[in-house]
Amino acid sequence: MTNPTSTTPAPGALAGRREWTALGVLMLPLLLVSMDVSVLYFAIPSISADLEPSGTQQLWIFDIYAFVLAGLLMTMGSLGDRIGRRKLLLFGAAAFGSASVLAAYADSAEMLIAARAVLGVGGATLMPSTMAIIRTMFTDPGQRAKAIGLWSGVMTGGIALGSVMSGVLVQYFWWGSVFLVNLPAMVLLLVLGPILLPESKNPEPGRFDLLSVPLSMAAVLPVIYGVKEIPAEGWRTEYVVSVLVGLVFTALFVHRQRTAKSPLISPALFRGRGFAPAVVLNLVSSFGMMGSAYFTTQYLQSVLGKSSMAAALWSLLPTVLVGVAAPVAAQLVQKGVHRAHVVSGGFVLAACGYGLLACAGTDSLWLVLAGAGVLASGIVTVMSQMMDLALGTVPLGNTGAAASLLETGAEFGGALGMAVLGSIGTAVYRHDVPSGAPAAARETLGGALAVAGRLPGDAGKALAAAAREAFTNGMQAAAVAGAVLLLGAAVLATASLRKVAVHEDGDDLGTGAGEPLPAAASEPGGGLTPA
C-alpha cells in the first residue's frame, strides 16, 4: 500500500492543509540555521570567560560554522538528489540537534569548535533540502512563489533575530542555552517530517562523483576566507593568494563538472533559459544585502553609541518590511506583471535604500533604519523571485543541486559585498581621519574610539568625533557604489529576463526552443521518484 505522505501533488495541483502545515514545520529549523550565523554575538564574552579560548580559537568558534556550511552546500544538495531530500533533511536535523547539545555542554574551546563544525554540516543539509522539498510540495506556480517568499523572509529575518535571541538568553541563562534552543525545532522536524514531508529523488542520478567533493570545497573555502578577511585586515598577500588559489580550484571544479560522467552539479542545469541569470542576480542581491550590513551594525554601535543589545533590537525594525516584500512580489507576478520588471524594480528599490544611507550623517538613526529596511525589502523581492525562477526552470530531479548552487552563490555574494564595499569604506575612513591621529585610530573606528577613551578631555572627544565623521563618510561612499551596482543589476535583470517565457500556468520554460531536457527530466513526473 502506498504511503500517502510520500507522494507528491500532481503537476499544477493546489497544495492543501498538509503541505502548508509541512511548510511551517520546515520553517522552524530553517530559522534556526540562519540564526546560528549570528547567535554567538552576545554569547562570546561568556564563552571566553568560561573556556578561555586563544584569539585564534575564538575566531574559529565564530567562523567554522559558516565555512563548513558554504563548503558543503553543493555536495549536500547533490547528495539529496541521489539518496532522497527528506532522508537527508532528517539526517541533518539529527546531526544539528546532536551538535547543539555537544556545543551547549562543551568544556573546551576545541570541543566547541568541533561542535560548530558539525552544526555547519547539519546546516548544509538543511538549507538545500528545505528548498527542494518546497519545490516538490508546491507544484502550483502561485503557491510555490508564496512558499519560496516565506522561505526567503525567514532566512533573512533569522540572521537579525539570532543576535537578539542570544542577548536575551545569555542575560537570563548560561551561554549554552543559545545552542539548546535548537532542540525543540529539530525534535519536531524528526517527529513530523516522516509524516508530513514527501520523499523524492532523481531516478537516474548516476554514480556519486567523489572527486568533485574536495574540488568544490577547495574552490569555495579559500575564496570565502580571503574575501571575508580583506575588509578587516586589508589586501594582505595571504588573503589575495587565498582568493587566487580558490579561483584556480574553481576552474578545476568547473572542468570536472563539464567532463565527468555523473557530475556533482550538472551543466544541464544551465540549459534552463532563466537559471544562469537567476544564479548571477541572486549573487548580486546577496552582495547588496551583506555589504550594507557591514556598515549599519557598526553605525548603530560605534557612531550612535548604542549598546550591543540596543543595536540588535533596533536592527530588527528594518526586517518588518522584509515580511511584506516577497508576498507582494509574488502577487505582482501572478497578476501579470512580467518577472523582469518585478526583479528590476526590486533592485531599484534596494538602490534607493542605499541612496538613503548615502544621505546619513553622524546622528541619523531613523534615516539609516529606513534605508536598511528599504534596501532589505528590495533585496528580498529579488531573492524570492530568483529562487522561484531557478527552481521552476530545472527538472524536479535536480532541485537539490540547483538549490545548493543558489545558496553557494549567495555565500560568495555576501562575502564579496563585505569585501568590496568594506574596502571602499575603509579607504575613505583612513583618508578622512586626521593625519596626526595614532596608527590604531587610523585603522578602524573601533581602534579610534579605544584610543580616544585614553586621551584627556577635549582631545579624546575631538578624535572620536572625527573618527565617527570619517566612518560615516566611508559608509556614504560605499552606499553610492552599492546603489550604482544595484542600478546596473536592474538593467541586467531587464535584459536577461525579458525573454524568459512563461506558460499559461506560470511555470517558466526550462529550456530554449529545441533544446533537449536532461535525461532525468524526461522521466514521468519530471525526474521525480516518489519514495
Side-chain angles (χ1 to χ4, degrees), residues 30-32 34-38 153-163:
L30 179 66
L31 177 67
L32 294 171
S34 61
M35 284 171 53
D36 257 47
V37 173
S38 56
V154 168
M155 275 295 299
T156 305
I159 297 174
L161 186 60
S163 58

Side-chain angles (χ1 to χ4, degrees), residues 138-356:
F138 296 94
T139 60
D140 174 74
Q143 290 188 326
R144 183 184 70 220
K146 293 177 183 177
I148 291 177
L150 289 171
W151 191 98
S152 304
V154 168
M155 275 295 299
T156 305
I159 297 174
L161 186 60
S163 58
V164 177
M165 178 171 285
S166 70
V168 173
L169 290 172
V170 170
Q171 183 173 344
Y172 294 103
F173 304 98
W174 99 110
W175 59 264
S177 60
V178 303
F179 298 106
L180 290 183
V181 73
N182 296 332
L183 288 182
M186 297 304 161
V187 170
L188 185 67
L189 178 58
L190 288 170
V191 172
L192 296 182
I195 300 172
L196 295 174
L197 301 177
E199 180 61 288
S200 61
K201 59 184 178 181
N202 192 327
E204 295 182 357
R207 296 183 60 183
F208 190 73
D209 185 29
L210 290 175
L211 181 59
S212 290
V213 175
L215 282 177
S216 68
M217 296 186 71
V220 172
L221 294 182
V223 176
I224 294 289
Y225 172 74
V227 298
K228 184 178 183 297
E229 295 298 322
I230 285 171
E233 304 292 336
W235 293 85
R236 291 167 55 176
T237 302
E238 57 265 40
Y239 303 139
V240 175
V241 170
S242 178
V243 172
L244 292 176
V245 168
L247 293 177
V248 170
F249 277 104
T250 298
L252 293 174
F253 176 74
V254 171
H255 176 73
R256 178 68 182 178
Q257 305 318 295
R258 292 170 65 100
T259 57
K261 190 173 182 180
S262 300
L264 199 69
I265 302 295
S266 174
L269 291 175
F270 292 91
R271 292 181 189 169
R273 190 176 288 168
F275 185 78
V279 172
V280 172
L281 295 173
N282 192 61
L283 185 153
V284 174
S285 63
S286 184
F287 181 108
M289 177 70 83
M290 297 307 295
S292 69
Y294 177 83
F295 292 98
T296 54
T297 53
Q298 293 185 71
Y299 181 89
L300 291 173
Q301 294 183 71
S302 298
V303 176
L304 297 183
K306 305 289 183 186
S307 68
S308 297
M309 188 65 181
L313 289 171
W314 279 111
S315 67
L316 284 178
L317 281 181
T319 63
V320 174
L321 294 176
V322 170
V324 179
V328 169
Q331 276 298 111
L332 289 174
V333 173
Q334 290 304 307
K335 288 181 180 287
V337 179
H338 199 288
R339 193 192 300 269
H341 299 148
V342 173
V343 172
S344 60
F347 276 124
V348 170
L349 184 63
C352 290
Y354 265 128
L356 292 175

Side-chain angles (χ1 to χ4, degrees), residues 434 452 455-468:
L455 294 178
D458 291 340
K461 292 180 181 178
L463 177 59
R468 290 187 174 105

Side-chain angles (χ1 to χ4, degrees), residues 258 265-285 339 343 347 382 385-395 401-403 405-407 409-410 489 492-493 495-497 500 508-512 515:
R258 292 170 65 100
I265 302 295
S266 174
L269 291 175
F270 292 91
R271 292 181 189 169
R273 190 176 288 168
F275 185 78
V279 172
V280 172
L281 295 173
N282 192 61
L283 185 153
V284 174
S285 63
R339 193 192 300 269
V343 172
F347 276 124
V382 174
Q385 287 301 306
M386 292 303 91
M387 290 176 183
D388 184 40
L389 171 61
L391 295 184
T393 298
V394 301
L405 197 57
L406 281 169
E407 288 301 319
L492 176 63
S496 60
L497 300 179
V500 177
D508 293 287
L509 289 171
T511 58
E515 295 182 19

